[in-house]
Amino acid sequence: MFKIKIIFYWITFKLRRKFTDKESLMSFQEKSFKRFALQTLTKSPYYRPYNSNTLQDLAHISVIEKSQFMEHFNTINTLGIDKEQALQIALEAEQSRNFTPQINNVTIGLSTGTSGKRGIFLVSEDERAQWVAMVMSRVIEPKLFKKQKIAFFLRASSNLYSSVQSSLFIFEYFDIFEPIEQLAAKLQQYQPDILAAPPSMLADLAKRQEDAVINIHPHQIISFAEVLYDSDKIYIEKIFRQQIKQIYQCTEGFLGVSCRYGNIHLNEDIVYIEKEYITHNRFYPIITDFTRTTQPVVRYKLNDVLIEKQEPCACGSAFTTIEKIEGRSDDILLFHVTNQFIKLYPDLICRKIAQYTDNFRAYKIVQPAWDQLHIYIESAAYEEAKVLFTQAIESLFEMYSIRNISFSYFNTIPVIKGNKIRKIERTFDEHNI
């Protein structure tokens, strides 16, 4: 029955027309929301009182963030699943590394994201089938007469991800908590057709490919879970000789995927996205997912910073085109200049460094206090890299009249196993300045 559901949704997605204008897309979203409100929101004790029937009615529903989403877990979900019971199952799965337990055929998962704050997600069998169909139709197209082997590098597996297993795909879970040497050896033996991993892991594997530690030839590279920086993208694509397919996915939904031209498009046929603009083209997405029926996601604000592409994509899609997923709100560095705060966005910093040098294996910049920067560089020419990084950052500071910032340099990047990698990170609260 599960495979039949996948086939049904796959055909549905394949037959769905391509939206080339905003008017037809908005009309489709309106109909999708009406159906979602009637069939799902009426079953949620939290959302039932709102009586929302149109997208315009969404304005009457309060925007919700992760802490509130977890606080109201019991009343938001439509099956009466208890938060403490679900959390216990998720924590036991993390400890045992056995991710198959369910409650009433509902997959329970634990997420942390880059914030480190844990959350619980619920996914029914029907939702899993839709997710698999969406991935198969927009990410990993089946090949006739060939069973493809997928190497999936994850912090934690899930029934959601292993659902991809079928007569068309062999799914192999690679636990990123294992030592990289073990993972590389296992990957070498597996010889995947499709390699799917966070950018930091892809970069590590590319380095081992370059050093002839492994020799694999995947025909598709998929990046997800972390920000894919330009320097890493160029390096990974050069080593594996494949264009990277980017997925924008989080606990709250399958939000976007890159097209054949390499541009990320938001999946606006399954997710309605309101944009809270920070600058003229940077925004925080506020999402309403029409496919989440067990744990409705309605006006959920992410702290991702997305850069909207101003020019239309050559593929002709009416879906919003994202030039870059820049990071989280706390990836923005903050500085106090006279009577105002200056924000330096990750992309601006990375571009400035790229103007001065690319002679490094990797780097990470951490701002632990408003007047301090910790700069971690892995480079064969470490001393030279320190000088060039200083020049790059100081030239940026000069543009914004930023003064009296101390620099501390380190020649290794701190890594906590299983945590998502962030190239630029602010670790202090802006309200404590």
Side-chain angles (χ1 to χ4, degrees):
M1 181 59 68
F2 181 63
K3 289 184 178 179
I4 292 173
K5 286 182 178 180
I6 292 174
I7 293 169
F8 169 76
Y9 284 118
W10 182 79
I11 292 172
T12 300
F13 288 131
K14 279 296 184 183
L15 293 180
R16 182 171 292 173
R17 59 178 170 160
K18 183 178 179 181
F19 296 97
T20 56
D21 63 272
K22 291 293 184 182
E23 291 74 19
S24 59
L25 175 60
M26 281 296 295
S27 175
F28 180 84
Q29 289 177 325
E30 189 71 58
K31 292 176 184 175
S32 298
F33 180 73
K34 284 182 179 179
R35 183 168 56 250
F36 172 70
L38 179 65
Q39 297 177 356
T40 299
L41 297 190
T42 53
K43 298 175 184 175
S44 167
Y46 184 85
Y47 289 112
R48 190 183 300 129
Y50 285 104
N51 293 320
S52 302
N53 293 308
T54 67
L55 289 174
Q56 286 70 32
D57 292 336
L58 278 174
H60 303 303
I61 300 178
S62 300
V63 172
I64 196 169
E65 297 188 35
K66 187 171 188 176
S67 59
Q68 300 160 298
F69 195 62
M70 287 300 99
E71 179 186 346
H72 298 287
F73 179 92
N74 288 7
T75 55
I76 287 177
N77 83 78
T78 59
L79 298 179
I81 293 175
D82 180 69
K83 176 183 175 182
E84 294 307 315
Q85 182 189 6
L87 179 60
Q88 186 62 34
I89 289 175
L91 289 174
E92 287 175 1
E94 286 283 327
Q95 292 166 2
S96 67
R97 313 308 289 164
N98 174 15
F99 300 100
T100 58
Q102 299 179 324
I103 298 177
N104 299 329
N105 210 30
V106 173
T107 293
I108 313 295
L110 185 71
S111 70
T112 55
T114 52
S115 68
K117 298 288 186 182
R118 67 188 182 191
I120 310 164
F121 65 89
L122 306 175
V123 186
S124 69
E125 182 181 272
D126 197 64
E127 290 167 308
R128 282 197 290 136
Q130 286 194 66
W131 183 86
V132 173
M134 177 67 78
V135 169
M136 287 173 59
S137 65
R138 298 189 182 177
V139 184
I140 48 174
E141 290 275 355
K143 287 185 176 294
L144 291 176
F145 313 115
K146 177 172 172 52
K147 197 166 188 174
Q148 299 183 83
K149 294 190 290 184
I150 305 171
F152 220 152
F153 285 76
L154 297 163
R155 181 189 62 80
S157 188
S158 164
N159 291 329
L160 176 64
Y161 302 123
S162 57
S163 299
V164 176
Q165 192 98 293
S166 69
S167 57
L168 297 172
F169 303 107
I170 303 172
F171 173 95
E172 187 68 27
Y173 163 54
F174 288 71
D175 189 339
I176 63 174
F177 280 103
E178 293 180 10
I180 184 64
E181 293 77 16
Q182 278 182 224
L183 293 172
K186 181 180 175 182
L187 188 67
Q188 174 64 28
Q189 184 176 16
Y190 186 59
Q191 288 296 315
D193 299 295
I194 299 168
L195 176 60
S200 55
M201 179 58 71
L202 290 175
D204 280 345
L205 295 173
K207 182 66 169 63
R208 281 162 175 76
Q209 179 91 349
E210 184 179 29
D211 294 342
V213 175
I214 60 173
N215 183 23
I216 60 174
H217 305 282
H219 65 75
Q220 188 172 18
I221 307 287
I222 299 171
S223 166
F224 61 91
E226 298 170 357
V227 174
L228 177 62
Y229 291 94
D230 289 341
S231 57
D232 292 334
K233 182 176 186 292
I234 292 168
Y235 175 66
I236 295 163
E237 290 184 339
K238 175 186 174 184
I239 297 301
F240 287 115
R241 299 180 182 179
Q242 294 291 340
Q243 183 184 47
I244 294 177
K245 186 87 168 179
Q246 291 189 67
I247 294 179
Y248 178 29
Q249 157 123 359
C250 60
T251 307
E252 294 74 32
F254 182 20
L255 303 182
V257 64
S258 58
C259 68
R260 65 184 183 276
Y261 292 97
N263 293 317
I264 299 173
H265 295 278
L266 299 179
N267 288 326
E268 292 178 288
D269 57 337
I270 63 170
V271 182
Y272 177 69
I273 297 181
E274 300 169 77
K275 301 167 186 175
E276 183 180 306
Y277 283 97
I278 312 166
T279 66
H280 76 285
N281 66 336
R282 285 182 175 87
F283 67 91
Y284 296 124
I286 300 171
I287 65 174
T288 298
D289 191 327
F290 307 136
T291 69
R292 296 292 294 274
T293 58
T294 307
Q295 190 180 26
V297 174
V298 181
R299 299 205 81 198
Y300 187 107
K301 181 182 175 181
L302 300 173
N303 65 345
D304 294 342
V305 178
L306 307 185
I307 302 179
E308 189 172 7
K309 197 175 181 69
Q310 302 301 297
E311 305 81 22
C313 181
C315 74
S317 174
F319 295 168
T320 297
T321 307
I322 300 302
E323 185 173 310
K324 193 179 292 291
I325 302 168
E326 193 168 31
R328 302 282 187 170
S329 57
D330 49 0
D331 293 340
I332 301 169
L333 303 190
L334 289 177
F335 301 94
H336 198 193
V337 178
T338 60
N339 295 319
Q340 63 177 326
F341 292 113
I342 299 295
K343 294 183 177 182
L344 293 186
Y345 292 94
D347 186 51
L348 182 65
I349 299 165
C350 294
R351 285 177 183 273
K352 180 58 68 174
I353 290 170
Q355 290 174 16
Y356 279 73
T357 181
D358 63 354
N359 190 13
F360 52 80
R361 157 68 184 85
Y363 69 85
K364 181 179 178 71
I365 298 174
V366 177
Q367 186 185 23
W370 73 271
D371 59 350
Q372 297 176 35
L373 284 184
H374 291 178
I375 303 170
Y376 304 83
I377 308 172
E378 291 182 1
S379 174
Y382 174 68
E383 294 300 327
E384 178 188 339
K386 282 170 59 177
V387 173
L388 293 172
F389 268 69
T390 301
Q391 291 176 356
I393 296 170
E394 285 185 343
S395 72
L396 193 58
F397 285 176
E398 187 66 30
M399 292 169 58
Y400 293 91
S401 301
I402 298 170
R403 302 281 187 271
N404 302 318
I405 307 299
S406 67
F407 292 53
S408 299
Y409 280 96
F410 307 87
N411 60 8
T412 56
I413 299 175
V415 176
I416 300 175
K417 200 70 173 174
N419 279 14
K420 296 181 180 180
I421 300 300
R422 298 156 70 182
K423 197 180 289 290
I424 312 292
E425 181 179 3
R426 172 173 47 80
T427 58
F428 70 93
D429 191 325
E430 61 186 285
H431 302 296
N432 293 333
I433 296 179

